[in-house]
Amino acid sequence: MSRLIFLLICLALTGWTLDQQQQSGRFQEVDEGFLDFLVANGRERLTQLRADADSQVAFIALNEQDRAEYETWPPSPLDWQTLLNGLRAHEPSVVLIATPLNWGRPSPEFVPAVASALLPYSSVVMGIETTLTSPDAPKSPAFLGDLGESLPRFEHVRGEFLALPRLSSLISAPDASLRGLGELGLMATRREENQPLLPYALDEEEGMIASVLAQTLARWSRTPFSRHRLRLGPGAGAYLEGGVFVPLEPTGDFKVNLDRKLPSVNALHLMMGNLADGTTEEDKQSLGQGKIIVIGVDQPSQGDEGQLGRLYARALDQIMALPRLQRLTTEQQWIAWGLATLGAAWIVISGRRQQALWKGLGLIFGALILSYLVFESSLIWCPPTIPSALIACGAFFGRLFGQKSAVLMPPMPVKEGTEKLAS
C-alpha cells in the first residue's frame, strides 16, 4: 500500500510538472509531429467536403460585361465607395479585395472616399498583384519596393521548401493612402494539368510570405501568425485555430475545386445607394451575416488571371466546407491522464520487476493505436506527451520497486551411499 501511495504522489507531481511544461510549449514539436502523422494517414477524409456544410463565403463580382454601367472601367473610386457602403449592412467577418485598389498616379480625387468607406470594416485584406519565378531558376531577391516590412511571414514552417512557389516581384499594390486600412497580401495563380492552383505561401529570400488566402483564413479563424503552422512536402497542410486544417499540395499550393457551386452577387445590386434596394432575396441569402466576402473584377476573357477573385472565393468556400480537427478539451485530457495513471499503477501492482518495462511499452503502443483509430473514425486527437510520460513513469517505478521474481532453490545433493540405502 505504501508503494502505491508513493507512486500516486510521484505521478501527480509528474503530471503537474509536465502540464506546466506543455503549456510553455516545451513538448510542442512532439505533439505536432504526432498530429502530422495522424493527418498524413487520414488525409483522404480531410479532403472530402462536408455535404451538409452551408457556404460561409460569397463572391461579389464586378463584371466586365457590365462595364457600361460603371462610371469608368476599371471601376473608379466612387464606384468602390458606393459598393463598400452598400455591403456594410451585411456585416461581413472578413472582406478580401482581390484586385489592387490602384488607379495610377497622381491618385484620383475621390480616393479618400474609398478610405472612409473602408473604415467601418474590422477585417480587410487587400490584394497585391505579383509575378512568380520557376523553382529551378537562379535564386535572387524579390523586388518588394517599400512593402517588404508590411507583408506577414510564417514563423513555423517545416518540411521541404525546394518546390515552393518563388516570388519574383510586385506588379500593382493598393494606393498608398489605403494601405493602413487593412492587411496587404500577395495574389498569384498557377496551373497544373489544367487545374488552377493558388499559392498558400511564397518563397522569398528572407522567409515564407503568406498569401491573401492564408491571411484571410488567419483573420477569419483569429489565428496570429505566431500560431499559424505550415507544413510542406509529403502531408503538406496549414494548421489554424479552431481545428481548421488546409490540405495543400507538396509545393504549398491549394488546388481549387471548380465543381462546387459558389454563391455570387453582382456588384451593381449593392450600388443602388439610398435610391432603392437592388439586392434580391437570393443576394441577401448569399451575403448573409458574418461571412467572408471576396470582391473581384471578373474578366473571363483573360483566363484565370481575369477571374482571380472568383478563384480565391472558390478556394475559401471549399476550405470552409472541409471537416475540422478536434482536440480533446482540457477536461477530457484530464480523463486521459487519469487512465494513464491507472495503467501506471497496474504495472507496479500486478507485475514483476522484469516485466515492468515491457508492460509500459505495450500500454504506450496500445494507447497510440487507440488514438489512431479514434482519429480515423472521428478526427479527434489527444496530445500524447503527458499520457505516455505517466505510463513510462509507472514502468520505471515498477522496474525499481516492483515485486521481485521468486528464487528457485536448487535440489539438495544426495550422497551415493544414501541412495543405495534407500533402495
Side-chain angles (χ1 to χ4, degrees):
M1 180 61 69
S2 60
R3 285 185 304 168
L4 179 60
I5 295 175
F6 181 65
L7 171 65
L8 294 177
I9 293 174
C10 290
L11 290 176
L13 292 174
T14 301
W16 181 84
T17 303
L18 291 174
D19 181 43
Q20 298 299 311
Q21 296 294 322
Q22 186 183 57
Q23 292 182 19
S24 65
R26 184 66 58 86
F27 307 120
Q28 184 175 349
E29 288 192 10
V30 177
D31 293 335
E32 288 177 353
F34 180 66
L35 179 58
D36 288 342
F37 168 78
L38 294 176
V39 168
N41 286 276
R43 192 173 184 85
E44 182 177 353
R45 180 171 179 181
L46 287 168
T47 56
Q48 294 177 351
L49 303 182
R50 290 175 289 142
D52 59 342
D54 294 329
S55 178
Q56 301 182 54
V57 180
F59 177 60
I60 298 179
L62 297 153
N63 292 316
E64 183 182 28
Q65 63 187 19
D66 298 328
R67 60 190 302 167
E69 304 294 330
Y70 293 90
E71 183 183 33
T72 62
W73 188 261
S76 69
L78 283 179
D79 290 326
W80 278 97
Q81 179 200 27
T82 307
L83 171 58
L84 292 169
N85 287 338
L87 176 63
R88 191 185 310 167
H90 298 279
E91 300 178 354
S93 60
V94 184
V95 176
L96 167 58
I97 301 177
T99 183
L101 294 179
N102 195 308
W103 299 272
R105 294 185 179 180
S107 298
E109 180 181 0
F110 295 103
V111 171
V114 181
S116 298
L118 284 170
L119 280 175
Y121 297 98
S122 58
S123 290
V124 177
V125 181
M126 293 183 281
I128 301 174
E129 288 185 351
T130 63
T131 58
L132 306 178
T133 184
S134 61
D136 54 355
K139 194 165 186 178
S140 59
F143 175 74
L144 301 179
D146 59 347
L147 299 178
E149 296 297 325
S150 62
L151 299 174
R153 289 170 170 79
F154 286 100
E155 299 181 20
H156 302 288
V157 183
R158 299 174 64 184
E160 303 173 3
F161 306 159
L162 296 179
L164 195 70
R166 286 168 51 190
L167 180 63
S168 175
S169 64
L170 308 184
I171 300 176
S172 180
D175 191 279
S177 63
L178 303 177
R179 295 173 188 174
L181 298 170
E183 287 187 16
L184 301 180
L186 305 180
M187 299 186 302
T189 182
R190 306 196 297 170
R191 293 193 75 86
E192 182 180 279
E193 298 178 355
N194 209 32
Q195 185 82 18
L197 302 174
L198 296 178
Y200 197 83
L202 295 169
D203 187 9
E204 194 264 334
E205 191 174 27
E206 296 183 2
M208 306 296 171
I209 301 179
S211 71
V212 293
L213 182 60
Q215 289 173 268
T216 304
L217 290 170
R219 286 264 182 167
W220 177 82
S221 63
R222 300 182 180 179
T223 305
F225 276 91
S226 60
R227 298 180 61 85
H228 197 148
R229 187 164 68 90
L230 177 64
R231 181 175 180 83
L232 303 172
Y239 298 86
L240 298 94
E241 297 292 316
V244 178
F245 175 74
V246 185
L248 301 174
E249 299 300 298
T251 55
D253 297 294
F254 183 79
K255 185 175 291 186
V256 184
N257 181 359
L258 300 178
D259 298 328
R260 181 175 167 85
K261 183 181 179 181
L262 174 68
S264 183
V265 176
N266 190 323
L268 291 175
H269 295 176
L270 293 165
M271 297 173 64
M272 301 297 291
N274 296 325
L275 299 178
D277 184 2
T279 54
T280 64
E281 288 301 320
E282 183 180 358
D283 290 341
K284 293 177 181 178
Q285 184 176 0
S286 297
L287 293 170
Q289 298 283 331
K291 289 189 175 184
I292 296 176
I293 301 297
V294 182
I295 307 174
V297 175
D298 226 4
Q299 299 172 294
S301 60
Q302 297 185 14
D304 286 347
E305 288 74 12
Q307 301 184 79
L308 195 54
R310 189 176 291 273
L311 285 179
Y312 275 110
R314 286 188 179 278
L316 291 166
D317 181 58
Q318 185 177 339
I319 293 168
M320 295 295 100
L322 292 172
R324 300 280 187 266
L325 304 177
Q326 302 178 63
R327 175 171 172 161
L328 292 185
T329 64
T330 302
E331 292 76 13
Q332 291 170 337
Q333 290 186 55
W334 288 347
I335 296 174
W337 301 348
L339 294 175
T341 301
L342 292 177
W346 173 77
I347 293 174
V348 176
I349 294 174
S350 67
R352 305 289 182 181
R353 292 184 181 182
Q354 290 77 3
Q355 300 173 340
L357 294 181
W358 291 109
K359 286 187 175 182
L361 291 174
L363 281 181
I364 292 174
F365 181 74
L368 294 177
I369 293 296
L370 178 62
S371 298
Y372 172 80
L373 295 176
V374 171
F375 185 84
E376 285 287 312
S377 63
S378 56
L379 299 181
I380 298 174
W381 77 286
C382 174
T385 308
I386 294 180
S388 299
L390 291 172
I391 296 174
C393 182
F396 180 74
F397 191 93
R399 185 70 179 84
L400 293 179
F401 304 106
Q403 300 177 19
K404 295 181 179 180
S405 299
V407 180
L408 297 178
M409 298 297 294
M412 296 294 294
V414 181
K415 294 183 180 180
E416 183 179 353
T418 307
E419 292 178 355
K420 291 181 178 180
L421 183 61
S423 61

